[in-house]
mmCIF file of all heavy atoms in Angstrom:
data_model
loop_
_atom_site.group_PDB
_atom_site.id
_atom_site.type_symbol
_atom_site.label_atom_id
_atom_site.label_comp_id
_atom_site.label_asym_id
_atom_site.label_seq_id
_atom_site.Cartn_x
_atom_site.Cartn_y
_atom_site.Cartn_z
ATOM 1 N N LEU A 1 -140.108 -88.180 -58.016
ATOM 2 C CA LEU A 1 -139.769 -86.973 -57.266
ATOM 3 C C LEU A 1 -139.230 -85.895 -58.206
ATOM 4 O O LEU A 1 -139.662 -84.732 -58.149
ATOM 5 C CB LEU A 1 -138.731 -87.308 -56.192
ATOM 6 C CG LEU A 1 -138.327 -86.161 -55.257
ATOM 7 C CD1 LEU A 1 -139.513 -85.711 -54.409
ATOM 8 C CD2 LEU A 1 -137.161 -86.596 -54.365
ATOM 9 N N GLY A 2 -138.293 -86.268 -59.080
ATOM 10 C CA GLY A 2 -137.762 -85.304 -60.033
ATOM 11 C C GLY A 2 -138.828 -84.800 -60.991
ATOM 12 O O GLY A 2 -138.905 -83.596 -61.281
ATOM 13 N N GLU A 3 -139.670 -85.700 -61.474
ATOM 14 C CA GLU A 3 -140.736 -85.296 -62.392
ATOM 15 C C GLU A 3 -141.685 -84.302 -61.736
ATOM 16 O O GLU A 3 -142.121 -83.326 -62.371
ATOM 17 C CB GLU A 3 -141.511 -86.526 -62.861
ATOM 18 C CG GLU A 3 -140.750 -87.418 -63.825
ATOM 19 C CD GLU A 3 -141.517 -88.684 -64.152
ATOM 20 O OE1 GLU A 3 -142.749 -88.604 -64.316
ATOM 21 O OE2 GLU A 3 -140.881 -89.765 -64.246
ATOM 22 N N CYS A 4 -142.037 -84.556 -60.487
ATOM 23 C CA CYS A 4 -142.984 -83.660 -59.804
ATOM 24 C C CYS A 4 -142.431 -82.247 -59.666
ATOM 25 O O CYS A 4 -143.154 -81.265 -59.879
ATOM 26 C CB CYS A 4 -143.346 -84.230 -58.438
ATOM 27 S SG CYS A 4 -144.544 -85.585 -58.510
ATOM 28 N N HIS A 5 -141.165 -82.121 -59.312
ATOM 29 C CA HIS A 5 -140.581 -80.778 -59.225
ATOM 30 C C HIS A 5 -140.563 -80.113 -60.606
ATOM 31 O O HIS A 5 -140.847 -78.918 -60.736
ATOM 32 C CB HIS A 5 -139.166 -80.859 -58.647
ATOM 33 C CG HIS A 5 -139.138 -81.017 -57.160
ATOM 34 N ND1 HIS A 5 -139.519 -80.008 -56.301
ATOM 35 C CD2 HIS A 5 -138.797 -82.084 -56.375
ATOM 36 C CE1 HIS A 5 -139.402 -80.426 -55.050
ATOM 37 N NE2 HIS A 5 -138.969 -81.683 -55.074
ATOM 38 N N GLY A 6 -140.240 -80.880 -61.642
ATOM 39 C CA GLY A 6 -140.258 -80.322 -62.986
ATOM 40 C C GLY A 6 -141.651 -79.937 -63.441
ATOM 41 O O GLY A 6 -141.855 -78.878 -64.047
ATOM 42 N N LEU A 7 -142.636 -80.776 -63.144
ATOM 43 C CA LEU A 7 -144.018 -80.480 -63.531
ATOM 44 C C LEU A 7 -144.547 -79.244 -62.818
ATOM 45 O O LEU A 7 -145.234 -78.415 -63.412
ATOM 46 C CB LEU A 7 -144.909 -81.690 -63.222
ATOM 47 C CG LEU A 7 -144.774 -82.888 -64.166
ATOM 48 C CD1 LEU A 7 -145.446 -84.113 -63.569
ATOM 49 C CD2 LEU A 7 -145.380 -82.558 -65.527
ATOM 50 N N ARG A 8 -144.244 -79.133 -61.523
ATOM 51 C CA ARG A 8 -144.723 -77.963 -60.784
ATOM 52 C C ARG A 8 -144.143 -76.684 -61.379
ATOM 53 O O ARG A 8 -144.849 -75.675 -61.517
ATOM 54 C CB ARG A 8 -144.344 -78.092 -59.297
ATOM 55 C CG ARG A 8 -144.927 -76.979 -58.446
ATOM 56 C CD ARG A 8 -144.885 -77.338 -56.962
ATOM 57 N NE ARG A 8 -143.524 -77.401 -56.440
ATOM 58 C CZ ARG A 8 -143.216 -77.824 -55.215
ATOM 59 N NH1 ARG A 8 -144.185 -78.238 -54.404
ATOM 60 N NH2 ARG A 8 -141.969 -77.844 -54.799
ATOM 61 N N ALA A 9 -142.879 -76.730 -61.758
ATOM 62 C CA ALA A 9 -142.263 -75.555 -62.387
ATOM 63 C C ALA A 9 -142.891 -75.276 -63.749
ATOM 64 O O ALA A 9 -143.206 -74.124 -64.078
ATOM 65 C CB ALA A 9 -140.758 -75.783 -62.537
ATOM 66 N N PHE A 10 -143.073 -76.306 -64.546
ATOM 67 C CA PHE A 10 -143.616 -76.160 -65.905
ATOM 68 C C PHE A 10 -144.987 -75.506 -65.901
ATOM 69 O O PHE A 10 -145.251 -74.546 -66.651
ATOM 70 C CB PHE A 10 -143.689 -77.540 -66.569
ATOM 71 C CG PHE A 10 -144.484 -77.570 -67.841
ATOM 72 C CD1 PHE A 10 -143.972 -77.018 -69.006
ATOM 73 C CD2 PHE A 10 -145.740 -78.168 -67.876
ATOM 74 C CE1 PHE A 10 -144.715 -77.056 -70.193
ATOM 75 C CE2 PHE A 10 -146.477 -78.209 -69.045
ATOM 76 C CZ PHE A 10 -145.969 -77.648 -70.210
ATOM 77 N N ILE A 11 -145.889 -75.991 -65.056
ATOM 78 C CA ILE A 11 -147.259 -75.459 -65.046
ATOM 79 C C ILE A 11 -147.271 -74.031 -64.523
ATOM 80 O O ILE A 11 -147.924 -73.151 -65.092
ATOM 81 C CB ILE A 11 -148.184 -76.368 -64.222
ATOM 82 C CG1 ILE A 11 -148.136 -77.804 -64.750
ATOM 83 C CG2 ILE A 11 -149.619 -75.847 -64.292
ATOM 84 C CD1 ILE A 11 -148.772 -78.823 -63.804
ATOM 85 N N HIS A 12 -146.550 -73.787 -63.425
ATOM 86 C CA HIS A 12 -146.478 -72.413 -62.909
ATOM 87 C C HIS A 12 -145.906 -71.456 -63.961
ATOM 88 O O HIS A 12 -146.378 -70.319 -64.108
ATOM 89 C CB HIS A 12 -145.602 -72.358 -61.650
ATOM 90 C CG HIS A 12 -146.320 -72.715 -60.385
ATOM 91 N ND1 HIS A 12 -146.041 -73.857 -59.680
ATOM 92 C CD2 HIS A 12 -147.288 -72.075 -59.688
ATOM 93 C CE1 HIS A 12 -146.803 -73.904 -58.596
ATOM 94 N NE2 HIS A 12 -147.580 -72.831 -58.575
ATOM 95 N N PHE A 13 -144.886 -71.914 -64.698
ATOM 96 C CA PHE A 13 -144.251 -71.046 -65.692
ATOM 97 C C PHE A 13 -145.236 -70.641 -66.781
ATOM 98 O O PHE A 13 -145.298 -69.464 -67.173
ATOM 99 C CB PHE A 13 -143.042 -71.746 -66.302
ATOM 100 C CG PHE A 13 -142.328 -70.952 -67.368
ATOM 101 C CD1 PHE A 13 -141.909 -69.646 -67.125
ATOM 102 C CD2 PHE A 13 -142.071 -71.501 -68.617
ATOM 103 C CE1 PHE A 13 -141.253 -68.906 -68.104
ATOM 104 C CE2 PHE A 13 -141.411 -70.778 -69.597
ATOM 105 C CZ PHE A 13 -141.003 -69.475 -69.346
ATOM 106 N N ASP A 14 -146.038 -71.577 -67.262
ATOM 107 C CA ASP A 14 -147.000 -71.211 -68.301
ATOM 108 C C ASP A 14 -148.107 -70.317 -67.761
ATOM 109 O O ASP A 14 -148.572 -69.400 -68.449
ATOM 110 C CB ASP A 14 -147.573 -72.466 -68.955
ATOM 111 C CG ASP A 14 -146.702 -72.953 -70.106
ATOM 112 O OD1 ASP A 14 -145.679 -72.296 -70.399
ATOM 113 O OD2 ASP A 14 -147.031 -73.995 -70.714
ATOM 114 N N ILE A 15 -148.548 -70.541 -66.524
ATOM 115 C CA ILE A 15 -149.521 -69.631 -65.921
ATOM 116 C C ILE A 15 -148.910 -68.243 -65.775
ATOM 117 O O ILE A 15 -149.555 -67.223 -66.053
ATOM 118 C CB ILE A 15 -150.002 -70.174 -64.557
ATOM 119 C CG1 ILE A 15 -150.824 -71.455 -64.766
ATOM 120 C CG2 ILE A 15 -150.823 -69.126 -63.812
ATOM 121 C CD1 ILE A 15 -151.198 -72.167 -63.479
ATOM 122 N N LEU A 16 -147.650 -68.194 -65.372
ATOM 123 C CA LEU A 16 -146.954 -66.913 -65.221
ATOM 124 C C LEU A 16 -146.851 -66.196 -66.556
ATOM 125 O O LEU A 16 -147.103 -64.978 -66.647
ATOM 126 C CB LEU A 16 -145.560 -67.153 -64.637
ATOM 127 C CG LEU A 16 -144.733 -65.918 -64.285
ATOM 128 C CD1 LEU A 16 -145.323 -65.212 -63.077
ATOM 129 C CD2 LEU A 16 -143.283 -66.300 -64.012
ATOM 130 N N ARG A 17 -146.473 -66.925 -67.605
ATOM 131 C CA ARG A 17 -146.322 -66.301 -68.925
ATOM 132 C C ARG A 17 -147.645 -65.712 -69.424
ATOM 133 O O ARG A 17 -147.649 -64.705 -70.135
ATOM 134 C CB ARG A 17 -145.808 -67.319 -69.934
ATOM 135 C CG ARG A 17 -144.381 -67.754 -69.714
ATOM 136 C CD ARG A 17 -143.775 -68.342 -70.965
ATOM 137 N NE ARG A 17 -144.288 -69.671 -71.290
ATOM 138 C CZ ARG A 17 -143.960 -70.328 -72.408
ATOM 139 N NH1 ARG A 17 -143.155 -69.770 -73.303
ATOM 140 N NH2 ARG A 17 -144.440 -71.543 -72.626
ATOM 141 N N LEU A 18 -148.751 -66.336 -69.041
ATOM 142 C CA LEU A 18 -150.052 -65.901 -69.556
ATOM 143 C C LEU A 18 -150.710 -64.835 -68.687
ATOM 144 O O LEU A 18 -151.349 -63.918 -69.208
ATOM 145 C CB LEU A 18 -150.990 -67.109 -69.678
ATOM 146 C CG LEU A 18 -150.665 -68.091 -70.796
ATOM 147 C CD1 LEU A 18 -151.448 -69.385 -70.614
ATOM 148 C CD2 LEU A 18 -150.964 -67.464 -72.150
ATOM 149 N N PHE A 19 -150.572 -64.941 -67.369
ATOM 150 C CA PHE A 19 -151.369 -64.111 -66.466
ATOM 151 C C PHE A 19 -150.569 -63.011 -65.770
ATOM 152 O O PHE A 19 -151.142 -62.266 -64.974
ATOM 153 C CB PHE A 19 -152.038 -64.991 -65.408
ATOM 154 C CG PHE A 19 -153.142 -65.866 -65.945
ATOM 155 C CD1 PHE A 19 -152.869 -67.138 -66.409
ATOM 156 C CD2 PHE A 19 -154.457 -65.402 -65.983
ATOM 157 C CE1 PHE A 19 -153.883 -67.956 -66.901
ATOM 158 C CE2 PHE A 19 -155.479 -66.206 -66.473
ATOM 159 C CZ PHE A 19 -155.194 -67.483 -66.945
ATOM 160 N N ALA A 20 -149.278 -62.910 -66.039
ATOM 161 C CA ALA A 20 -148.467 -61.874 -65.387
ATOM 162 C C ALA A 20 -147.750 -61.036 -66.444
ATOM 163 O O ALA A 20 -147.775 -61.340 -67.632
ATOM 164 C CB ALA A 20 -147.450 -62.510 -64.435
ATOM 165 N N ASP A 21 -147.099 -59.977 -65.977
ATOM 166 C CA ASP A 21 -146.394 -59.074 -66.884
ATOM 167 C C ASP A 21 -145.118 -59.709 -67.428
ATOM 168 O O ASP A 21 -144.595 -60.686 -66.876
ATOM 169 C CB ASP A 21 -146.033 -57.776 -66.153
ATOM 170 C CG ASP A 21 -147.229 -56.867 -65.950
ATOM 171 O OD1 ASP A 21 -147.822 -56.423 -66.948
ATOM 172 O OD2 ASP A 21 -147.575 -56.614 -64.772
ATOM 173 N N ASN A 22 -144.618 -59.125 -68.497
ATOM 174 C CA ASN A 22 -143.333 -59.494 -69.078
ATOM 175 C C ASN A 22 -142.234 -58.956 -68.168
ATOM 176 O O ASN A 22 -142.095 -57.750 -67.982
ATOM 177 C CB ASN A 22 -143.230 -58.878 -70.478
ATOM 178 C CG ASN A 22 -141.946 -59.224 -71.197
ATOM 179 O OD1 ASN A 22 -140.973 -59.668 -70.587
ATOM 180 N ND2 ASN A 22 -141.923 -59.014 -72.502
ATOM 181 N N ILE A 23 -141.419 -59.860 -67.613
ATOM 182 C CA ILE A 23 -140.406 -59.438 -66.648
ATOM 183 C C ILE A 23 -139.346 -58.540 -67.279
ATOM 184 O O ILE A 23 -138.698 -57.736 -66.593
ATOM 185 C CB ILE A 23 -139.746 -60.660 -65.975
ATOM 186 C CG1 ILE A 23 -138.960 -60.210 -64.741
ATOM 187 C CG2 ILE A 23 -138.879 -61.440 -66.968
ATOM 188 C CD1 ILE A 23 -138.482 -61.362 -63.865
ATOM 189 N N LEU A 24 -139.156 -58.615 -68.584
ATOM 190 C CA LEU A 24 -138.179 -57.758 -69.251
ATOM 191 C C LEU A 24 -138.643 -56.306 -69.299
ATOM 192 O O LEU A 24 -137.838 -55.401 -69.488
ATOM 193 C CB LEU A 24 -137.920 -58.265 -70.675
ATOM 194 C CG LEU A 24 -137.372 -59.677 -70.790
ATOM 195 C CD1 LEU A 24 -137.198 -60.067 -72.250
ATOM 196 C CD2 LEU A 24 -136.046 -59.809 -70.041
ATOM 197 N N LEU A 25 -139.945 -56.093 -69.102
ATOM 198 C CA LEU A 25 -140.502 -54.739 -69.161
ATOM 199 C C LEU A 25 -140.887 -54.199 -67.794
ATOM 200 O O LEU A 25 -140.908 -52.988 -67.596
ATOM 201 C CB LEU A 25 -141.750 -54.726 -70.064
ATOM 202 C CG LEU A 25 -141.566 -55.205 -71.501
ATOM 203 C CD1 LEU A 25 -142.916 -55.220 -72.214
ATOM 204 C CD2 LEU A 25 -140.587 -54.318 -72.246
ATOM 205 N N LYS A 26 -141.187 -55.082 -66.870
ATOM 206 C CA LYS A 26 -141.732 -54.642 -65.584
ATOM 207 C C LYS A 26 -141.245 -55.572 -64.482
ATOM 208 O O LYS A 26 -141.986 -56.402 -63.961
ATOM 209 C CB LYS A 26 -143.268 -54.630 -65.659
ATOM 210 C CG LYS A 26 -143.957 -53.756 -64.643
ATOM 211 C CD LYS A 26 -145.462 -53.681 -64.945
ATOM 212 C CE LYS A 26 -146.160 -52.807 -63.920
ATOM 213 N NZ LYS A 26 -147.625 -52.746 -64.183
ATOM 214 N N GLN A 27 -139.992 -55.410 -64.111
ATOM 215 C CA GLN A 27 -139.356 -56.344 -63.189
ATOM 216 C C GLN A 27 -139.961 -56.322 -61.791
ATOM 217 O O GLN A 27 -139.890 -57.305 -61.062
ATOM 218 C CB GLN A 27 -137.860 -56.047 -63.107
ATOM 219 C CG GLN A 27 -137.136 -56.256 -64.421
ATOM 220 C CD GLN A 27 -135.735 -56.802 -64.212
ATOM 221 O OE1 GLN A 27 -135.249 -56.893 -63.101
ATOM 222 N NE2 GLN A 27 -135.093 -57.156 -65.302
ATOM 223 N N ASP A 28 -140.531 -55.202 -61.392
ATOM 224 C CA ASP A 28 -141.062 -55.088 -60.038
ATOM 225 C C ASP A 28 -142.542 -55.436 -59.944
ATOM 226 O O ASP A 28 -143.178 -55.186 -58.915
ATOM 227 C CB ASP A 28 -140.847 -53.658 -59.503
ATOM 228 C CG ASP A 28 -139.371 -53.319 -59.372
ATOM 229 O OD1 ASP A 28 -138.587 -54.248 -59.087
ATOM 230 O OD2 ASP A 28 -139.009 -52.141 -59.565
ATOM 231 N N ALA A 29 -143.086 -56.017 -60.983
ATOM 232 C CA ALA A 29 -144.514 -56.338 -61.012
ATOM 233 C C ALA A 29 -144.832 -57.512 -60.089
ATOM 234 O O ALA A 29 -143.949 -58.265 -59.654
ATOM 235 C CB ALA A 29 -144.947 -56.676 -62.436
ATOM 236 N N SER A 30 -146.109 -57.667 -59.816
ATOM 237 C CA SER A 30 -146.577 -58.821 -59.054
ATOM 238 C C SER A 30 -146.571 -60.051 -59.955
ATOM 239 O O SER A 30 -146.767 -59.956 -61.173
ATOM 240 C CB SER A 30 -147.994 -58.564 -58.534
ATOM 241 O OG SER A 30 -148.483 -59.687 -57.838
ATOM 242 N N GLY A 31 -146.332 -61.198 -59.345
ATOM 243 C CA GLY A 31 -146.328 -62.442 -60.102
ATOM 244 C C GLY A 31 -147.625 -63.194 -59.938
ATOM 245 O O GLY A 31 -148.712 -62.647 -60.114
ATOM 246 N N ILE A 32 -147.519 -64.457 -59.531
ATOM 247 C CA ILE A 32 -148.693 -65.314 -59.385
ATOM 248 C C ILE A 32 -148.591 -66.079 -58.075
ATOM 249 O O ILE A 32 -147.530 -66.117 -57.448
ATOM 250 C CB ILE A 32 -148.789 -66.324 -60.549
ATOM 251 C CG1 ILE A 32 -147.526 -67.188 -60.625
ATOM 252 C CG2 ILE A 32 -149.065 -65.615 -61.871
ATOM 253 C CD1 ILE A 32 -147.622 -68.375 -61.562
ATOM 254 N N PRO A 33 -149.673 -66.718 -57.656
ATOM 255 C CA PRO A 33 -149.568 -67.622 -56.508
ATOM 256 C C PRO A 33 -148.692 -68.817 -56.883
ATOM 257 O O PRO A 33 -148.849 -69.390 -57.959
ATOM 258 C CB PRO A 33 -151.014 -68.075 -56.267
ATOM 259 C CG PRO A 33 -151.876 -67.074 -56.974
ATOM 260 C CD PRO A 33 -151.069 -66.611 -58.146
ATOM 261 N N TYR A 34 -147.771 -69.170 -56.001
ATOM 262 C CA TYR A 34 -146.959 -70.370 -56.219
ATOM 263 C C TYR A 34 -147.362 -71.374 -55.166
ATOM 264 O O TYR A 34 -147.170 -71.152 -53.971
ATOM 265 C CB TYR A 34 -145.468 -70.056 -56.128
ATOM 266 C CG TYR A 34 -144.613 -71.025 -56.917
ATOM 267 C CD1 TYR A 34 -144.279 -70.755 -58.239
ATOM 268 C CD2 TYR A 34 -144.170 -72.223 -56.360
ATOM 269 C CE1 TYR A 34 -143.506 -71.641 -58.986
ATOM 270 C CE2 TYR A 34 -143.405 -73.117 -57.098
ATOM 271 C CZ TYR A 34 -143.078 -72.822 -58.405
ATOM 272 O OH TYR A 34 -142.328 -73.715 -59.149
ATOM 273 N N ALA A 35 -147.961 -72.468 -55.598
ATOM 274 C CA ALA A 35 -148.587 -73.414 -54.681
ATOM 275 C C ALA A 35 -147.636 -74.556 -54.332
ATOM 276 O O ALA A 35 -147.117 -75.229 -55.221
ATOM 277 C CB ALA A 35 -149.865 -73.967 -55.308
ATOM 278 N N TYR A 36 -147.438 -74.765 -53.033
ATOM 279 C CA TYR A 36 -146.587 -75.851 -52.559
ATOM 280 C C TYR A 36 -147.382 -76.950 -51.855
ATOM 281 O O TYR A 36 -146.813 -77.961 -51.453
ATOM 282 C CB TYR A 36 -145.527 -75.320 -51.601
ATOM 283 C CG TYR A 36 -144.468 -74.479 -52.283
ATOM 284 C CD1 TYR A 36 -144.510 -73.091 -52.244
ATOM 285 C CD2 TYR A 36 -143.421 -75.076 -52.983
ATOM 286 C CE1 TYR A 36 -143.541 -72.320 -52.873
ATOM 287 C CE2 TYR A 36 -142.453 -74.316 -53.617
ATOM 288 C CZ TYR A 36 -142.519 -72.940 -53.547
ATOM 289 O OH TYR A 36 -141.559 -72.180 -54.179
ATOM 290 N N ASP A 37 -148.691 -76.760 -51.697
ATOM 291 C CA ASP A 37 -149.540 -77.744 -51.040
ATOM 292 C C ASP A 37 -150.673 -78.143 -51.964
ATOM 293 O O ASP A 37 -151.039 -77.401 -52.877
ATOM 294 C CB ASP A 37 -150.137 -77.177 -49.746
ATOM 295 C CG ASP A 37 -149.068 -76.741 -48.766
ATOM 296 O OD1 ASP A 37 -148.172 -77.562 -48.466
ATOM 297 O OD2 ASP A 37 -149.126 -75.583 -48.306
ATOM 298 N N TYR A 38 -151.248 -79.315 -51.695
ATOM 299 C CA TYR A 38 -152.361 -79.694 -52.554
ATOM 300 C C TYR A 38 -153.650 -79.016 -52.147
ATOM 301 O O TYR A 38 -154.609 -78.959 -52.924
ATOM 302 C CB TYR A 38 -152.515 -81.220 -52.646
ATOM 303 C CG TYR A 38 -153.096 -81.925 -51.444
ATOM 304 C CD1 TYR A 38 -154.469 -81.955 -51.225
ATOM 305 C CD2 TYR A 38 -152.264 -82.623 -50.573
ATOM 306 C CE1 TYR A 38 -154.992 -82.645 -50.142
ATOM 307 C CE2 TYR A 38 -152.789 -83.317 -49.509
ATOM 308 C CZ TYR A 38 -154.162 -83.317 -49.293
ATOM 309 O OH TYR A 38 -154.680 -84.001 -48.232
ATOM 310 N N ASP A 39 -153.701 -78.461 -50.965
ATOM 311 C CA ASP A 39 -154.820 -77.602 -50.576
ATOM 312 C C ASP A 39 -154.593 -76.243 -51.220
ATOM 313 O O ASP A 39 -153.626 -75.556 -50.918
ATOM 314 C CB ASP A 39 -154.869 -77.478 -49.055
ATOM 315 C CG ASP A 39 -156.019 -76.600 -48.568
ATOM 316 O OD1 ASP A 39 -156.725 -76.017 -49.422
ATOM 317 O OD2 ASP A 39 -156.199 -76.505 -47.344
ATOM 318 N N LEU A 40 -155.474 -75.845 -52.117
ATOM 319 C CA LEU A 40 -155.256 -74.627 -52.894
ATOM 320 C C LEU A 40 -155.677 -73.354 -52.158
ATOM 321 O O LEU A 40 -155.620 -72.265 -52.716
ATOM 322 C CB LEU A 40 -156.002 -74.716 -54.230
ATOM 323 C CG LEU A 40 -155.457 -75.763 -55.207
ATOM 324 C CD1 LEU A 40 -156.287 -75.775 -56.481
ATOM 325 C CD2 LEU A 40 -154.001 -75.501 -55.534
ATOM 326 N N GLN A 41 -156.124 -73.475 -50.931
ATOM 327 C CA GLN A 41 -156.478 -72.285 -50.172
ATOM 328 C C GLN A 41 -155.207 -71.612 -49.639
ATOM 329 O O GLN A 41 -154.202 -72.260 -49.366
ATOM 330 C CB GLN A 41 -157.388 -72.651 -48.998
ATOM 331 C CG GLN A 41 -158.721 -73.236 -49.436
ATOM 332 C CD GLN A 41 -159.507 -72.271 -50.316
ATOM 333 O OE1 GLN A 41 -159.694 -71.111 -49.942
ATOM 334 N NE2 GLN A 41 -159.966 -72.742 -51.457
ATOM 335 N N ASN A 42 -155.279 -70.313 -49.523
ATOM 336 C CA ASN A 42 -154.208 -69.523 -48.903
ATOM 337 C C ASN A 42 -152.859 -69.673 -49.594
ATOM 338 O O ASN A 42 -151.812 -69.759 -48.962
ATOM 339 C CB ASN A 42 -154.065 -69.886 -47.416
ATOM 340 C CG ASN A 42 -155.322 -69.574 -46.641
ATOM 341 O OD1 ASN A 42 -155.909 -68.508 -46.802
ATOM 342 N ND2 ASN A 42 -155.761 -70.512 -45.823
ATOM 343 N N LYS A 43 -152.901 -69.719 -50.910
ATOM 344 C CA LYS A 43 -151.640 -69.704 -51.661
ATOM 345 C C LYS A 43 -151.035 -68.300 -51.563
ATOM 346 O O LYS A 43 -151.733 -67.302 -51.568
ATOM 347 C CB LYS A 43 -151.896 -70.034 -53.141
ATOM 348 C CG LYS A 43 -152.534 -71.381 -53.387
ATOM 349 C CD LYS A 43 -152.660 -71.692 -54.872
ATOM 350 C CE LYS A 43 -153.522 -70.725 -55.646
ATOM 351 N NZ LYS A 43 -154.922 -70.777 -55.252
ATOM 352 N N GLN A 44 -149.724 -68.247 -51.514
ATOM 353 C CA GLN A 44 -149.052 -66.959 -51.441
ATOM 354 C C GLN A 44 -148.782 -66.418 -52.833
ATOM 355 O O GLN A 44 -148.289 -67.123 -53.705
ATOM 356 C CB GLN A 44 -147.732 -67.084 -50.677
ATOM 357 C CG GLN A 44 -146.991 -65.762 -50.551
ATOM 358 C CD GLN A 44 -145.718 -65.876 -49.735
ATOM 359 O OE1 GLN A 44 -145.461 -66.925 -49.143
ATOM 360 N NE2 GLN A 44 -144.937 -64.822 -49.705
ATOM 361 N N VAL A 45 -149.112 -65.133 -53.036
ATOM 362 C CA VAL A 45 -148.785 -64.464 -54.296
ATOM 363 C C VAL A 45 -147.368 -63.899 -54.179
ATOM 364 O O VAL A 45 -147.076 -63.112 -53.282
ATOM 365 C CB VAL A 45 -149.774 -63.332 -54.609
ATOM 366 C CG1 VAL A 45 -149.370 -62.627 -55.902
ATOM 367 C CG2 VAL A 45 -151.189 -63.877 -54.741
ATOM 368 N N PHE A 46 -146.506 -64.318 -55.087
ATOM 369 C CA PHE A 46 -145.123 -63.864 -55.072
ATOM 370 C C PHE A 46 -144.922 -62.760 -56.102
ATOM 371 O O PHE A 46 -145.701 -62.613 -57.052
ATOM 372 C CB PHE A 46 -144.191 -65.035 -55.394
ATOM 373 C CG PHE A 46 -144.087 -66.052 -54.290
ATOM 374 C CD1 PHE A 46 -145.038 -67.053 -54.165
ATOM 375 C CD2 PHE A 46 -143.046 -66.003 -53.385
ATOM 376 C CE1 PHE A 46 -144.957 -67.998 -53.151
ATOM 377 C CE2 PHE A 46 -142.943 -66.939 -52.368
ATOM 378 C CZ PHE A 46 -143.901 -67.943 -52.249
#
């Protein structure tokens, strides 16, 4: 359970670092979809 929460954060963080803006420069920018289900349809973009 602990590993899964850590893994979900780790993968999202690297996708965020690569595909989104630098938060230090553009705090109000759009982020990425954060997926909480294994069905990847209809993910919410935060």
Side-chain angles (χ1 to χ4, degrees):
L1 184 65
E3 288 175 40
C4 282
H5 281 291
L7 286 167
R8 186 164 68 187
F10 168 74
I11 304 167
H12 276 112
F13 179 52
D14 273 359
I15 293 173
L16 186 70
R17 291 201 287 175
L18 289 167
F19 290 90
D21 285 298
N22 181 343
I23 194 170
L24 300 178
L25 302 176
K26 201 172 180 181
Q27 296 215 352
D28 296 328
S30 178
I32 58 169
Y34 206 92
Y36 290 100
D37 301 308
Y38 74 81
D39 180 355
L40 292 179
Q41 297 301 309
N42 298 315
K43 301 185 299 294
Q44 181 177 352
V45 178
F46 289 84

